[in-house]
Amino acid sequence: MNKPDTLEQFRQQTTDWIAQHYPPQLRPTPGASGEDPRQLKIHEADWLALLAKQGYLAPSWPREYGGAGLSDEQVRVLNQALRKAQVRSPPISAGLSLLGPVLLEHGTPAQKAQHLPKIARNESFWCQGYSEPGAGSDLASLSTRAELEGDEFVVNGQKIWTSHADAADWMFCLVRTDREAPQHEGISFLLIDMSTPGISVAPIRLISGPSAFCQTFFDDVRVPKDNIMGQLGQGWTLAKQLLQHERQALGSIGRGDARRALTLPELAAQEIGINAAGQIADPVLRDQVAQCELDSLALRLTMSRSADEARAGQGSAHIASTLKLYGSELTNRRHELMISLRGADGIGWEGPGFTPAALRTTRQWLRAKGNSIEGGSNEIQRNVIAKRLLELPE
Amino acid sequence: MALILSEEQQLLKNSVRNFVNSNFPVDQVRQLRDGDDALRYSRQLWQQMAELGWAGIIFPEEYGGLGLGYAELGVVLEELGRSLAAQPFLSTVLLAGNVLLLGGSEEQKQQWLPQICSGEATLALAFQETGRFSPWQVETRAETTKDGFCLNGEKRFVLDGYGAEQLLVLARTSGSAGDKEGLSLFLLAADTPGLSITPLSLLDSRNAALTTFDNVEVQTKHLVGELDQAAIILEPVFDGASAGLNAELLGTLSEAFERTLTYLKTRQQFGALIGSFQALKHRAADMFCEREHAISLTREALRAIDEQRDDAALLVSAAKARTADVANLIGRESVQMFGGIGMTDEEDIGLFMKRARVAEITLGDARYHRQRFASLSAF
Ligand SMILES: Cc1cc2nc3c(=O)[nH]c(=O)nc-3n(C[C@H](O)[C@H](O)[C@H](O)COP(=O)(O)OP(=O)(O)OC[C@H]3O[C@@H](n4cnc5c(N)ncnc54)[C@H](O)[C@@H]3O)c2cc1C
């Protein structure tokens, strides 16, 4: 535990550090519409590199693995400082948010040394090979198989909805290593180098347009035996643990604090106007904006409460399902509202008559639909809550 | 400070729960409702709780209180809310008591706060006149006279107004209805000539009164706080009271939810427990999820008051808006999931729904608090 005064010092230090280093070009300007997306990307990359250098992309990881070695309290203070400064938060990525924490706990020393520092510096990019055409919600019915031949697994099969498979350096992948064993016990967790011969990737076009979504095919792909995480046949346990991190991360999107553009009230003021009392002029929309904003506040508080509970050994890890459910529904609601606020500008797809920000809103609205499907659909989260937290009968 | 209960708070919670379990069976709501005492709560149990220190939990020790915070008060109220225990916490402690604490002269505080803490006196705050919580919408007038003031007007929904020894009355001393300025508070004994207090029955069977003031004479020394400046006292009082009421409501909705879960695990139809039907499971999961967020906001609001934070008012409104909506959701859904038995007076679940409705409306409904949240967030 940190003494409060040192924690306060840390808060001051990080606040100062952010103020000194955050690229001013990333600050949104109300009413501005002509930001050049390429310029923004460059400044964003600069900012991520600065965060990475401090170990702030993976603040709780040990320094030897590229983290900042911060305590839970310090991580919380760091997040508060980032939010207060309204800067772009560290990204949610498969490597940082999903694999990292599980690898830290279950990886071999060699696996950790090989992968964690690169993930923490944002130098290696990961994708998640869970879903298959026949195994979505019923993930444990997956059939991509891996057979041990000497020192290698030989992998054959197909994954789908693999976000960023086309750009990823590595994939963490669920494979069936034992077809005789009961369904959940025949699954193993492999780390696969995406440059291995036999892997091919085909992008999928989404309702939101070209995307990072892919199909991934495995044709006699040879993976070194040492690339298994955990024991043979133990993959399902790790897979579920990782899903909890994923659910937490997906829920956190709903907080709406990553300052990509105008806040919801700012957008409403810009699009709808404000009355003499300084209020969003349309009372119905104002009420809906207030609902979204106070629900985001509730979500942030529940996330920090569940972290407090976990630290005190109370509560259940399945609370991640609650955060995912609430957060992703909120994200959807927020985007529905954004698109109504933009009016006819919200239905533009391309062409000079539309601002980049409006075009982004349209695509984000569509992409947000995926939040309630990915990471286990919200119906599956409700099943988990009913079974694990409420203990309702089968 | 963490959003979980400290060890001391956990101990307090356990002792309140024990007290509540042995003294406040839910059926008491029916007994009080159907009995002939218009007070609608047990003065004897109030006395006992005061002896345990709970009536004075937030008041300074110099006035006979425990000098603890809203977080602790919230623990007590949440437990009371679980059993639907009617007690004059909101009226005497959170409303009237706090007005005196924040606005009273030293003499007024010395006279009344120790009696509140010891359970000897109950007080009520008469402020509301319209059908909605709109605290500055006051038409009751206090005209200046030779040696004080003369009050005329009517107040509705005076919580625990029947049986209170003293009433704190909000009246207009200048300006017109709706103005925040120009309001003043007066302390009157219940037997003051011209004052009439008529008990009313609300949906939750608790005590609320209609009070009328017909040329009621009040001496200047019974003015509480500065002339025309009552709003300055009342704003934080309403925030504290809403935060406390929220904690009570959280207890009520939690108990209703848990009773519904128990029912889902015991009632059989089609040869199966009804809790095995996915349509009900998913709705139960939604209720759980909503409740988790109401808990977080409610606790944070109490904590913000204790820490005297700038965002306390904003959090109180966020918490009241959310908790009220969740309470109504759970009220509705629980009666539905109990089926026909849920419609009967014999089954307790309807009592929870009724109380939740009253608590939602009291001190501003969800819509009121969302709008206030928006104003406080400057949009
Ligand atoms: C944006 C996005 C990104 C993704 N990224 C990845 C990734 O990187 N890697 C990866 O492996 N996967 C990824 N996925 C896949 C995702 O995990 C699956 O889409 C998801 O698990 C649902 O599976 P499915 O699509 O096969 O739908 P299905 O399982 O076929 O579900 C169809 C519908 O039936 C409902 N349903 C299914 N079972 C039940 C049940 N028991 N009770 C009630 N309702 C039920 C579902 O909720 C859904 O509404 C991604 C998906 C999206 C949308």
Side-chain angles (χ1 to χ4, degrees):
Chain A
M1 270 277 268
N2 286 277
K3 290 198 213 79
D5 51 306
T6 49
L7 208 55
E8 277 320 300
Q9 267 173 8
F10 178 71
R11 185 188 303 277
Q12 195 52 52
Q13 279 165 14
T14 43
T15 306
D16 293 346
W17 183 86
I18 296 166
Q20 277 167 23
H21 291 90
Y22 194 62
Q25 297 85 345
L26 288 178
R27 296 250 172 232
T29 24
S33 53
E35 327 124 35
D36 176 351
R38 275 163 314 178
Q39 280 300 317
L40 279 182
K41 274 220 151 54
I42 293 171
H43 293 302
E44 193 164 65
D46 288 346
W47 171 236
L48 288 187
L50 284 165
L51 285 172
K53 208 165 148 218
Q54 290 289 106
Y56 284 173
L57 292 184
S60 64
W61 300 3
R63 281 177 190 277
E64 55 169 322
Y65 295 136
L70 301 186
S71 67
D72 289 340
E73 282 90 352
Q74 286 173 320
V75 173
R76 192 213 289 239
V77 167
L78 170 66
N79 287 333
Q80 283 168 349
L82 288 167
R83 190 165 61 239
K84 195 145 182 233
Q86 298 194 329
V87 299
R88 293 197 187 173
S89 350
I92 291 171
S93 76
L96 282 169
S97 325
L98 314 190
L99 179 68
V102 183
L103 191 60
L104 204 54
E105 196 176 333
H106 298 282
T108 63
Q111 286 168 344
K112 289 199 270 194
Q114 182 184 1
H115 297 301
L116 288 174
K118 285 194 179 150
I119 294 175
R121 288 195 303 267
N122 219 20
E123 285 168 9
S124 80
F125 203 60
W126 285 75
C127 65
Q128 176 182 27
Y130 273 31
S131 306
E132 297 179 4
S137 298
D138 185 12
L139 183 59
S141 69
L142 61 92
S143 60
T144 294
R145 48 180 212 282
E147 270 141 11
L148 203 50
E149 282 182 17
D151 280 347
E152 290 172 332
F153 287 106
V154 181
V155 182
N156 280 288
Q158 183 191 347
K159 294 286 171 181
I160 195 169
W161 318 131
T162 338
S163 308
H164 304 290
D166 52 349
D169 306 301
W170 284 81
M171 171 190 277
F172 53 88
C173 187
L174 295 180
V175 291
R176 188 159 298 286
T177 41
D178 186 346
R179 272 183 281 179
E180 310 303 319
Q183 204 180 43
H184 295 86
E185 291 160 29
I187 297 172
S188 300
F189 197 111
L190 290 188
L191 308 177
I192 303 180
D193 182 341
M194 290 296 280
S195 64
T196 320
I199 299 181
S200 56
V201 173
I204 303 172
R205 193 182 165 92
L206 289 190
I207 51 175
S208 45
S211 80
F213 242 38
C214 297
Q215 277 181 287
T216 311
F217 302 92
F218 300 87
D219 184 12
D220 281 335
V221 175
R222 300 195 156 261
V223 178
K225 202 175 85 186
D226 290 344
N227 285 14
I228 188 171
M229 183 162 74
Q231 305 297 315
L232 196 69
Q234 226 195 22
W236 185 246
T237 313
L238 302 187
K240 279 195 302 184
Q241 203 180 330
L242 186 139
L243 277 174
Q244 277 164 359
H245 293 290
E246 180 171 13
R247 286 162 190 173
Q248 190 116 19
L250 285 168
S252 72
I253 295 173
R255 291 179 304 189
D257 52 7
R259 194 96 202 263
R260 296 202 71 84
L262 303 179
T263 61
L264 201 48
E266 283 167 356
L267 180 65
Q270 175 187 296
E271 297 293 327
I272 307 297
I274 52 173
N275 63 20
Q279 301 170 347
I280 295 166
D282 180 318
V284 175
L285 288 169
R286 179 174 184 246
D287 191 63
Q288 290 171 354
V289 170
Q291 186 76 65
C292 273
E293 293 293 290
L294 74 85
D295 287 346
S296 304
L297 175 61
L299 180 66
R300 279 203 299 275
L301 290 169
T302 304
M303 298 189 83
S304 84
R305 181 165 67 88
S306 67
D308 289 340
E309 283 173 354
R311 217 167 297 141
Q314 306 170 0
S316 153
H318 294 290
I319 202 72
S321 288
T322 321
L323 300 173
K324 199 264 168 170
L325 177 56
Y326 197 84
S328 62
E329 304 232 312
L330 179 55
T331 307
N332 267 299
R333 203 154 23 99
R334 175 180 286 274
H335 285 91
E336 291 289 342
L337 189 50
M338 281 166 70
I339 204 152
S340 344
L341 288 172
R342 291 226 184 248
D345 280 320
I347 56 170
W349 191 251
E350 59 190 11
F354 302 103
T355 63
L359 294 175
R360 209 163 46 235
T361 302
T362 314
R363 284 163 176 77
Q364 284 173 347
W365 166 68
L366 289 164
R367 176 58 184 84
K369 305 281 163 210
N371 279 166
S372 42
I373 301 169
E374 64 198 306
S377 74
N378 283 9
E379 288 71 31
I380 297 303
Q381 305 308 327
R382 290 186 178 92
N383 288 348
V384 172
I385 295 168
K387 181 172 175 181
R388 304 286 173 189
L389 294 167
L390 307 182
E391 298 174 342
L392 286 167
E394 290 288 315
Chain B
M1 209 207 290
L3 270 171
I4 51 178
L5 298 186
S6 68
E7 225 165 288
E8 293 79 18
Q9 289 165 353
Q10 192 62 49
L11 288 174
L12 176 64
K13 182 186 166 107
N14 296 345
S15 51
V16 182
R17 184 166 283 197
N18 287 337
F19 185 84
V20 164
N21 284 345
S22 24
N23 293 291
F24 293 108
V26 170
D27 190 47
Q28 212 169 68
V29 175
R30 293 187 195 85
Q31 290 160 18
L32 289 165
R33 175 192 67 190
D34 302 337
D36 31 65
D37 188 356
L39 192 64
R40 298 287 176 77
Y41 66 84
S42 153
R43 212 179 254 274
Q44 188 210 335
L45 286 170
W46 179 240
Q47 196 78 48
Q48 283 183 36
M49 291 210 293
E51 277 157 27
L52 290 163
W54 299 337
I57 210 159
I58 51 172
F59 294 130
E61 288 167 79
E62 54 181 308
Y63 301 116
L66 293 184
L68 295 172
Y70 277 77
E72 285 76 19
L73 179 70
V75 168
V76 176
L77 289 171
E78 195 176 327
E79 290 307 315
L80 289 170
R82 279 185 171 270
S83 66
L84 298 177
Q87 285 286 295
F89 254 110
L90 186 58
S91 53
T92 294
V93 176
L94 282 164
L95 290 169
N98 262 335
V99 164
L100 291 170
L101 181 71
L102 298 186
S105 64
E106 197 48 47
E107 201 185 327
Q108 287 165 337
K109 288 195 265 194
Q110 292 288 359
Q111 183 174 5
W112 293 107
L113 291 178
Q115 289 197 52
I116 291 176
C117 295
S118 66
E120 286 158 77
T122 61
L123 283 74
L125 177 64
F127 63 95
Q128 191 163 339
E129 299 184 1
T130 61
R132 324 194 147 269
F133 179 73
S134 176
W136 322 136
Q137 209 64 43
V138 174
E139 287 185 11
T140 297
R141 297 207 79 88
E143 310 281 353
T144 319
T145 61
K146 175 160 105 296
D147 44 20
F149 299 87
C150 175
L151 266 64
N152 278 290
E154 184 182 273
K155 295 282 176 187
R156 305 174 66 195
F157 309 111
V158 182
L159 303 174
D160 298 320
Y162 174 83
E165 276 83 36
Q166 297 277 324
L167 288 191
L168 272 159
V169 183
L170 181 64
R172 189 155 287 291
T173 35
S174 67
S176 49
D179 291 351
K180 202 168 156 180
E181 293 259 322
L183 295 170
S184 307
L185 284 156
F186 301 92
L187 188 60
L188 312 187
D191 57 4
T192 307
L195 165 61
S196 87
I197 301 176
T198 315
L200 303 177
S201 230
L202 297 187
L203 180 62
D204 61 353
S205 317
R206 294 199 187 181
N207 170 348
L210 180 68
T211 61
T212 54
F213 306 87
D214 183 13
N215 289 322
V216 175
E217 299 286 341
V218 198
Q219 292 174 351
T220 309
K221 68 172 183 188
H222 294 311
L223 176 71
V224 176
E226 306 234 337
L227 190 72
D228 288 341
Q229 301 300 323
I232 296 174
I233 304 170
L234 286 174
E235 269 190 333
V237 167
F238 287 138
D239 277 334
S242 295
L245 178 59
N246 240 0
E248 185 197 328
L249 186 54
L250 184 63
T252 301
L253 69 87
S254 293
E255 181 70 19
F257 176 61
E258 285 158 25
R259 285 175 178 231
T260 304
L261 275 185
T262 306
Y263 195 68
L264 293 178
K265 293 176 190 177
T266 44
R267 169 77 176 163
Q268 295 213 9
Q269 282 296 285
F270 298 98
L273 294 169
I274 58 171
S276 67
F277 303 143
Q278 198 182 48
L280 300 188
K281 278 185 178 167
H282 281 195
R283 280 152 63 190
D286 282 335
M287 286 192 263
F288 175 80
C289 188
E290 293 289 336
R291 181 180 69 151
E292 285 300 302
H293 291 86
I295 294 174
S296 309
L297 281 170
T298 301
R299 289 215 187 131
E300 181 75 358
L302 294 164
R303 183 169 96 161
I305 293 178
D306 284 335
E307 293 171 359
Q308 300 181 328
R309 272 162 34 193
D310 293 343
D311 62 351
L314 181 108
L315 277 158
V316 167
S317 277
K320 183 86 202 296
R322 204 78 205 86
T323 310
D325 277 342
V326 179
N328 285 336
L329 168 77
I330 290 179
R332 241 177 2 251
E333 286 284 65
S334 56
V335 168
Q336 177 68 20
M337 290 187 191
F338 270 77
I341 195 83
M343 286 297 292
T344 63
D345 184 54
E346 191 193 336
E347 167 51 54
D348 290 343
I349 201 73
L351 300 173
F352 288 86
M353 182 178 72
K354 293 192 209 175
R355 172 61 193 153
R357 240 329 150 181
V358 173
E360 183 213 335
I361 303 294
T362 305
L363 302 176
D365 61 9
R367 200 176 127 272
Y368 170 88
H369 281 285
R370 268 198 305 279
Q371 290 180 0
R372 181 163 179 260
F373 173 86
S375 298
L376 292 169
S377 314
F379 64 81

